[in-house]
């Protein structure tokens, strides 16, 4: 058995019920009743996304356990706030105008449990997928080697059916625990989640993934699993741009084509709008070359879609999730 738990005692349940509001300049800090968890107003989200762009959350909270996550949802319900869930922010484009309502970050929901009897790994939604891949490899557990280059958390990976190297979350998921807006928990099977290519029924729903259980294969030589994991990581480093902020792949692959190939053949590598550029190394990546705005990236996405459709009669479907309001015309 191996169990790990995130350090820190911020955003945990407190024995003293309280709701205290503190003004700090133009922002406010609210202490969530019954916890030591704070809800911030007008919290900039650019530092919480891999693109390093985006406006502010009207309200922002980062619970560290299930109880404070439930308390956060209860607060949103009582104050009639829409809820947006944010993990590592690696597959998101947040509008320059920000996000209304309450943004709940799950990045601090962390624990992992390796069950050597069943070969199952149960992890909280905020755990890093690459970190888990390395941890499993060091133990000699096979099944997560492909995920070492997925820049996200367990929650986001479960929702979007993250994948690489002909493998995906749906292939290994045993079950996922989700939290409904009314605070109730339910365990879902992969069939109930309704997986398809890079999507699921959880996308766009009001349920929050709190943890997931994966089936792995323990008992392999750790050196062998580590070697395979390193190969996958090296492949990512040599074929995808990591020198500038990005969200990973921007478009889903329209089978039988690869989106990057279509974009490259359309002659768009290196094309730039503001600080946003189609990556030279991989055309299905848009990178922030410095000072990009969310609107630059959004307009570049629309431009790519238009050009590829003009040349190939194929409308590329974004894989990146867009949050907030964007101008319809660029």
């Amino acid at each position: 058995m191996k169990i790990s738990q995130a350090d820190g005692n911020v955003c945990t349940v407190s024995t003293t019920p309280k709701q205290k509001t503190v003004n700090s300049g133009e922002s406010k800090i609210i202490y969530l009743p019954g916890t030591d968890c704070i809800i911030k107003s007008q919290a900039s989200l650019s530092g919480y996304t891999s693109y390093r762009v985006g406006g502010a959350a009207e309200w922002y909270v980062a619970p560290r356990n299930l109880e404070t996550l439930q308390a956060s949802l209860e607060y949103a319900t009582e104050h009639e706030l829409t809820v947006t869930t944010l993990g590592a922010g690696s597959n998101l484009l947040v509008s320059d105008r920000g996000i209304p309502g309450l943004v709940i970050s799950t990045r601090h929901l962390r624990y992992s449990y390796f069950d050597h009897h069943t070969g199952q790994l149960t992890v909280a939604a905020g755990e890093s997928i690459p970190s888990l891949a390395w941890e499993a490899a060091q133990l000699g557990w096979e099944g997560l080697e492909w995920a070492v280059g997925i820049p996200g958390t367990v929650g986001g990976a479960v929702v979007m059916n993250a994948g690489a190297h002909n493998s995906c979350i749906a292939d290994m998921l045993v079950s996922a625990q989700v939290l409904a807006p009314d605070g109730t928990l339910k365990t879902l099977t992969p069939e109930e989640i309704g997986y398809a290519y890079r999507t699921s029924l959880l996308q766009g729903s009001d349920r929050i993934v709190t943890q997931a259980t994966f089936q792995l294969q323990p008992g392999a030589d750790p050196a062998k699993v580590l070697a395979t994991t390193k190969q996958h990581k090296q492949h990512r480093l040599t074929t995808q741009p990591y020198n500038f902020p990005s969200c990973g792949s921007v478009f889903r692959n329209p089978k039988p084509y690869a989106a990057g190939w279509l974009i490259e053949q359309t002659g768009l590598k290196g094309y730039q709008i503001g600080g946003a550029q189609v990556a030279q190394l991989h055309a299905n990546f848009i990178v922030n070359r410095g000072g990009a705005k969310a609107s630059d990236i959004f307009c570049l996405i629309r431009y790519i879609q238009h050009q590829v459709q003009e040349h190939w009669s194929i409308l590329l479907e974004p894989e990146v999730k867009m949050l907030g309001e964007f101008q319809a015309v660029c």
Side-chain angles (χ1 to χ4, degrees):
M1 177 195 302
K2 185 177 188 304
I3 300 176
S4 65
Q5 179 73 42
D7 294 330
N9 59 2
V10 178
C11 279
T12 56
V13 173
S14 170
T15 57
T16 306
K18 58 182 177 179
Q19 177 171 332
K20 181 181 178 182
T21 302
V22 178
N23 291 312
S24 178
E26 296 182 357
S27 64
K28 293 182 180 179
I29 294 177
I30 295 174
Y31 287 84
L32 195 62
T35 76
D36 60 3
C37 192
I38 60 173
I39 299 178
K40 302 176 183 178
S41 74
Q42 298 304 312
S44 174
L45 295 174
S46 61
Y48 298 119
T49 70
S50 59
Y51 257 136
R52 298 296 182 260
V53 300
E58 183 181 4
W59 297 99
Y60 174 88
V61 66
R64 288 184 179 268
N65 54 42
L66 181 59
E67 291 77 15
T68 48
L69 175 58
Q70 290 172 312
S72 299
L73 279 179
E74 183 178 346
Y75 181 89
T77 300
E78 290 176 354
H79 293 80
E80 299 182 342
L81 298 173
T82 57
V83 172
T84 302
T85 307
L86 185 69
S90 58
N91 194 45
L92 297 176
L93 179 60
V94 175
S95 166
D96 296 317
R97 299 182 179 185
I99 302 176
L102 178 64
V103 173
I104 299 178
S105 172
T106 61
R107 65 177 60 214
H108 297 310
L109 299 177
R110 297 181 184 175
Y111 61 79
S112 60
Y113 170 48
F114 290 79
D115 189 332
H116 288 267
H117 297 292
T118 63
Q120 292 183 354
L121 166 62
T122 298
V123 287
E127 285 285 351
S128 160
I129 289 289
S131 296
L132 287 173
W134 287 117
E135 195 171 359
Q138 290 167 352
L139 293 172
W141 286 41
E142 295 178 307
L144 267 177
E145 299 92 322
W146 61 271
V148 69
I150 302 294
T153 58
V154 167
V158 168
V159 169
M160 69 166 289
N161 192 20
H165 306 288
N166 298 314
S167 296
C168 64
I169 289 293
D171 297 334
M172 58 192 303
L173 184 75
V174 176
S175 64
Q177 184 186 77
V178 297
L179 181 64
D182 63 3
T184 59
L185 290 168
K186 185 176 182 180
T187 299
L188 302 178
T189 65
E191 291 74 24
E192 291 172 314
I193 294 172
Y195 278 123
Y197 173 66
R198 298 296 182 270
T199 189
S200 76
L201 296 178
L202 292 173
Q203 267 194 318
S205 79
D206 55 6
R207 294 172 292 179
I208 300 175
V209 175
T210 60
Q211 72 173 33
T213 298
F214 304 113
Q215 184 65 58
L216 302 180
Q217 295 80 47
D221 180 3
K224 176 185 175 184
V225 187
L226 278 168
T228 303
T229 304
K230 289 177 182 177
Q231 288 175 0
H232 285 312
K233 180 64 175 180
Q234 187 59 36
H235 175 76
R236 285 257 172 169
L237 290 173
T238 55
T239 60
Q240 299 178 3
Y242 282 88
N243 53 334
F244 294 106
S246 79
C247 73
S249 297
V250 175
F251 299 101
R252 292 184 171 94
N253 291 319
K255 294 181 179 180
Y257 301 101
W261 184 86
L262 291 171
I263 297 167
E264 181 176 355
Q265 295 305 308
T266 309
L268 294 178
K269 266 192 174 181
Y271 187 85
Q272 191 162 337
I273 294 178
Q277 182 188 60
V278 179
Q280 295 281 4
L281 187 60
H282 194 308
N284 198 19
F285 281 65
I286 292 176
V287 295
N288 180 354
R289 293 279 302 185
K293 296 179 180 179
S295 57
D296 295 335
I297 298 168
F298 175 80
C299 287
L300 187 51
I301 288 173
R302 291 291 180 258
Y303 182 80
I304 292 169
Q305 287 178 307
H306 175 74
Q307 292 298 310
V308 169
Q309 190 167 32
E310 284 284 306
H311 284 78
W312 302 93
S313 297
I314 295 173
L315 178 60
L316 292 178
E317 183 180 357
E319 186 173 310
V320 56
K321 184 178 180 181
M322 302 179 198
L323 299 179
E325 294 183 8
F326 290 89
Q327 293 288 348
V329 181
C330 293

